[in-house]
Amino acid sequence: MYLPCICPFQIFGFFSAAAYLCLILFQTPTTMRIIFIIYYLLITLLFVSCQESSSVEVEREKIASLLQKGDSCRQVGNEENSIAFYYRSLELAKQTGEQSLEAAASDRLGIVYLYRELYYDALDLFRQSASIYALTGENIRLALALRNIGRTNLVLHHSDSIACYYEQAIEVASRLEDKKLLHTISKELEAIYSKAGFYDYSPRLMLKCLDSVSDDDFSNLLAGEYYIGMNNAEEARIWLKKAVQTSDMYICSSAYQLLYEIEKRTNHPDTAVKYAEYYIQCKDSLDKQISVSSTIRALGQNYEKERLKWENQQLQNEQLRKRMYYLIILSISCCLLVVGLVLYYREKWKKEKVLAGVMKRLRDNERQIENYTAVIEKNRRIISDLKGTQQKNALLLHEEKNKSINYENLQHENLLLMKQLHILHSDREGLLQQLQMGTNSSISSQRITAFTQLWLLKSEPYYGIIETQEEWNRLFELIDLFYGNISARLNGCELLREHDRRICYLLHAGLDNSALGILFNIDNTSVTKSKQRIKKKLGLGPNDVLETFLNENKK
């Protein structure tokens, strides 16, 4: 069981704030209450944040501890427990999102699966760890993971994948400053090719190995095997004699065995027997080493069991210490709470005593307040009467304002009516003069028709009053006669159409947009657009008024 690592200062602040909260709410002013509540919230937030950060660190330590336990179990040959530890660390790393630890757990679990002949499971784990190392940029671990994938394909007899992944591992290892890993991977692939008989690939890889690390015993052994395959006994002897000058009994025994086979093949029995004796001595030494290693392994297992027991005991002791620490903090908080309550009741008793004297003064003040209340009520009645009078005056002022506004509106309407009456009188006198003139000069019936049409246009316009172009021409003459001649100005603009001329003459005669819409059977929007087009043709600006331009020659 892993408990979160909490700072003692935060725990103390949290419990002390909780202990004094009741005291603060009862006996401090509002401002102080707000300040202490904010302090309490800040302490709580700090506590939560520290708990979250510490929980992440604890999870990392737990994963690392599980990996160490798995490594210890694997070293002593306890593969079942190592798989359990590695699997728990892998699941925990996936939950916490720790990619590097997830890759490490996958890599180690894959190695155990590889030795337990679970090849496809190991292959999936190695690929997973390689993809994570490629993302994190850890070249050393990436090269080892690719090397492990190549080993797994080797036991699965996937020859194409062996070369592919080993070449990738060599390429990644070649980027490192330390060439030891490049040498190790290169000589592994050299051994694979040499044992399999792919001698065409062997020199290139051997050169990589020899260029990276010189005077290496295993490289000498591989060189000897290479020259044996090429039937070059002299060169093979030279390299194998270099290989036997090592303390590694595995390399030494293999080199003596190969020398024995060379001497036997070249008919040198004495030398062959000597190398056979050396081979037997190395083999006996290996057997002794194996027996010693088995004894050491047994001792290691016992040591690991005792170490695990000791670690469990340490964890239990640590948990007990933490519990005692929490109990101490809880007891200190309870003591602070009791002290706070005692101080609270003491202050309460003092305030009750002061409150009794205050209540006595309050009763005296209440009697004075009653006397003042009677005076205030009397003043309120006077004020209410004044307010009523003020409201009546306001209503009268409002009515007076409305009457003045109505009077001004009536005056304005009267002026408009007088102007309209004057215009009608002017039109009537003009018509009478024209009629008198027509009587003396025998006005034709067409002129009377034009007068009638103009009167209808001014009074009650409707669609179809004027039908022919001849009637329009006589109406134009009549409007030029009554309202001023505009024919010369309109004829000067060649862009005006007949419809535009009609609109100009009717506007000159005083017709508005609604009358024009009724006469031409169109809406007011169309009339406005027609007027804008006429203004452009006459060269007027957008702010100029067409009626003002036409009325400049009005009589």
Side-chain angles (χ1 to χ4, degrees):
M1 180 178 179
Y2 287 84
L3 295 173
C5 182
I6 303 170
C7 179
F9 173 74
Q10 294 175 7
I11 296 176
F12 177 79
F14 179 80
F15 282 106
S16 62
Y20 282 100
L21 186 61
C22 296
L23 181 62
I24 291 165
L25 292 176
F26 280 104
Q27 67 178 22
T28 55
T30 305
T31 306
M32 294 299 294
R33 291 180 188 175
I34 295 171
I35 293 172
F36 279 106
I37 289 172
I38 293 172
Y39 166 76
Y40 174 73
L41 293 175
L42 290 175
I43 290 295
T44 306
L45 290 175
L46 188 62
F47 173 76
V48 172
S49 63
C50 180
Q51 190 175 13
E52 290 179 355
S53 61
S54 62
S55 63
V56 173
E57 295 295 332
V58 168
E59 293 296 333
R60 290 178 183 173
E61 293 177 0
K62 185 176 180 181
I63 295 170
S65 175
L66 291 172
L67 290 175
Q68 290 178 0
K69 289 180 180 180
D71 293 339
S72 300
C73 293
R74 187 159 62 91
Q75 288 174 1
V76 298
N78 191 355
E79 294 181 351
E80 294 294 337
N81 289 334
S82 66
I83 290 173
F85 285 124
Y86 288 152
Y87 186 76
R88 285 172 58 191
S89 63
L90 179 60
E91 292 296 324
L92 191 58
K94 287 181 178 179
Q95 292 175 4
T96 56
E98 296 291 336
Q99 290 188 344
S100 59
L101 294 175
E102 180 183 353
S106 300
D107 210 354
R108 297 178 187 182
L109 189 59
I111 293 172
V112 177
Y113 282 166
L114 181 62
Y115 283 101
R116 291 176 68 88
E117 299 182 0
L118 301 173
Y119 300 129
Y120 289 101
D121 294 335
L123 191 61
D124 292 337
L125 291 169
F126 288 144
R127 286 173 177 170
Q128 181 180 355
S129 63
S131 63
I132 295 174
Y133 289 140
L135 291 174
T136 56
E138 300 181 37
N139 290 329
I140 297 176
R141 295 181 182 275
L142 177 59
L144 292 174
L146 293 171
R147 192 270 314 269
N148 291 333
I149 296 174
R151 286 182 179 179
T152 309
N153 285 299
L154 175 64
V155 296
L156 290 172
H157 303 291
H158 296 164
S159 57
D160 295 336
S161 298
I162 296 170
C164 175
Y165 284 104
Y166 265 99
E167 289 289 344
Q168 291 182 21
I170 290 172
E171 182 181 357
V172 174
S174 63
R175 304 173 194 164
L176 303 173
E177 296 180 358
D178 189 2
K179 301 299 181 182
K180 185 180 292 185
L181 181 61
L182 175 63
H183 164 65
T184 303
I185 299 173
S186 298
K187 72 182 181 182
E188 281 190 19
L189 189 56
E190 169 64 23
I192 293 170
Y193 281 148
S194 298
K195 295 295 183 182
F198 299 119
Y199 300 112
D200 293 336
Y201 296 92
S202 182
R204 178 172 61 85
L205 296 170
M206 183 182 294
L207 288 174
K208 283 186 179 181
C209 177
L210 294 176
D211 289 338
S212 60
V213 178
S214 61
D215 194 16
D216 186 85
D217 299 326
F218 191 73
S219 299
N220 295 331
L221 179 63
L222 292 178
E225 291 179 354
Y226 169 72
Y227 285 113
I228 289 172
M230 299 296 293
N231 295 322
N232 191 345
E234 294 299 328
E235 290 292 333
R237 284 193 189 96
I238 294 171
W239 288 102
L240 290 174
K241 286 179 180 179
K242 290 180 181 180
V244 298
Q245 298 174 4
T246 179
S247 59
D248 190 345
M249 291 294 103
Y250 291 99
I251 297 175
C252 191
S253 60
S254 298
Y256 280 128
Q257 185 179 8
L258 292 174
L259 287 170
Y260 167 74
E261 292 177 356
I262 292 171
E263 299 300 334
K264 182 179 178 181
R265 194 181 307 165
T266 56
N267 295 321
H268 296 97
D270 296 335
T271 310
V273 169
K274 182 178 67 171
Y275 286 139
E277 290 176 354
Y278 290 155
Y279 171 71
I280 292 170
Q281 291 176 3
C282 290
K283 192 173 181 182
D284 292 339
S285 233
L286 283 173
D287 292 337
K288 290 179 181 178
Q289 287 180 3
I290 291 170
S291 62
V292 171
S293 63
S294 62
T295 304
I296 293 172
R297 179 177 294 180
L299 292 173
Q301 289 179 351
N302 293 330
Y303 169 75
E304 185 64 23
K305 289 179 181 179
E306 294 296 329
R307 189 177 67 82
L308 290 174
K309 288 181 180 178
W310 181 80
E311 287 181 356
N312 290 330
Q313 187 63 36
Q314 289 296 113
L315 288 174
Q316 291 178 0
N317 294 335
E318 183 66 23
Q319 290 179 2
L320 288 174
R321 283 195 297 271
K322 288 181 179 180
R323 289 175 183 173
M324 290 298 296
Y325 179 70
Y326 294 150
L327 287 174
I328 291 170
I329 293 174
L330 184 60
S331 61
I332 292 172
S333 303
C334 292
C335 292
L336 290 174
L337 181 61
V338 171
V339 171
L341 291 174
V342 170
L343 293 174
Y344 164 71
Y345 284 111
R346 182 181 176 183
E347 289 294 327
K348 185 179 179 182
W349 176 76
K350 290 181 179 179
K351 289 187 177 182
E352 285 179 352
K353 186 176 180 180
V354 174
L355 186 61
V358 172
M359 291 298 295
K360 183 179 180 181
R361 289 194 297 271
L362 284 175
R363 284 191 293 270
D364 296 336
N365 293 333
E366 283 177 357
R367 287 191 294 271
Q368 294 179 0
I369 288 170
E370 289 177 357
N371 298 327
Y372 292 141
T373 303
V375 177
I376 289 171
E377 288 294 331
K378 184 178 180 180
N379 294 331
R380 282 179 181 175
R381 287 193 295 271
I382 296 171
I383 290 169
S384 62
D385 295 338
L386 293 175
K387 286 182 177 179
T389 306
Q390 187 179 3
Q391 290 176 357
K392 290 179 181 180
N393 294 331
L395 291 174
L396 292 174
L397 288 173
H398 183 68
E399 290 177 358
E400 197 67 30
K401 287 182 181 179
N402 291 333
K403 287 180 181 180
S404 62
I405 292 169
N406 292 333
Y407 178 72
E408 291 176 358
N409 293 332
L410 289 174
Q411 283 183 341
H412 182 66
E413 290 178 0
N414 190 16
L415 290 173
L416 292 176
L417 291 174
M418 290 177 67
K419 288 181 181 180
Q420 292 177 1
L421 182 61
H422 180 68
I423 292 169
L424 290 175
H425 280 298
S426 299
D427 293 341
R428 179 174 172 275
E429 290 177 359
L431 289 172
L432 290 174
Q433 289 175 4
Q434 296 296 330
L435 288 173
Q436 289 174 3
M437 290 173 61
T439 305
N440 296 327
S441 60
S442 300
I443 298 173
S444 63
S445 61
Q446 289 84 2
R447 180 63 64 85
I448 296 172
T449 303
F451 276 117
T452 306
Q453 289 173 347
L454 181 58
W455 178 77
L456 289 173
L457 288 173
K458 297 284 286 183
S459 60
E460 296 180 359
Y462 60 88
Y463 178 68
I465 293 178
I466 305 172
E467 297 179 351
T468 63
Q469 183 61 36
E470 184 179 358
E471 293 178 350
W472 278 106
N473 292 333
R474 285 195 295 271
L475 182 63
F476 293 162
E477 294 175 358
L478 191 63
I479 292 173
D480 286 336
L481 182 62
F482 285 168
Y483 298 99
N485 192 351
I486 62 171
S487 60
R489 181 171 293 185
L490 297 179
N491 293 331
C493 182
E494 298 178 354
L495 298 175
L496 292 176
R497 298 180 301 167
E498 184 61 31
H499 182 71
D500 299 334
R501 289 172 57 83
R502 292 174 183 178
I503 292 174
C504 290
Y505 269 100
L506 294 173
L507 289 173
H508 187 52
L511 273 69
D512 56 3
N513 290 350
S514 61
L516 292 176
I518 295 171
L519 181 60
F520 294 111
N521 196 18
I522 57 176
D523 55 3
N524 292 337
T525 305
S526 300
V527 174
T528 304
K529 290 182 179 178
S530 299
K531 290 168 69 175
Q532 291 175 355
R533 286 195 297 270
I534 292 169
K535 286 167 63 177
K536 289 182 181 178
K537 292 177 181 179
L538 292 173
L540 298 177
N543 296 326
D544 295 332
V545 181
L546 182 59
E547 288 85 347
T548 305
F549 174 76
L550 295 173
N551 293 333
E552 287 178 357
N553 294 331
K554 193 170 182 179
K555 291 183 179 180

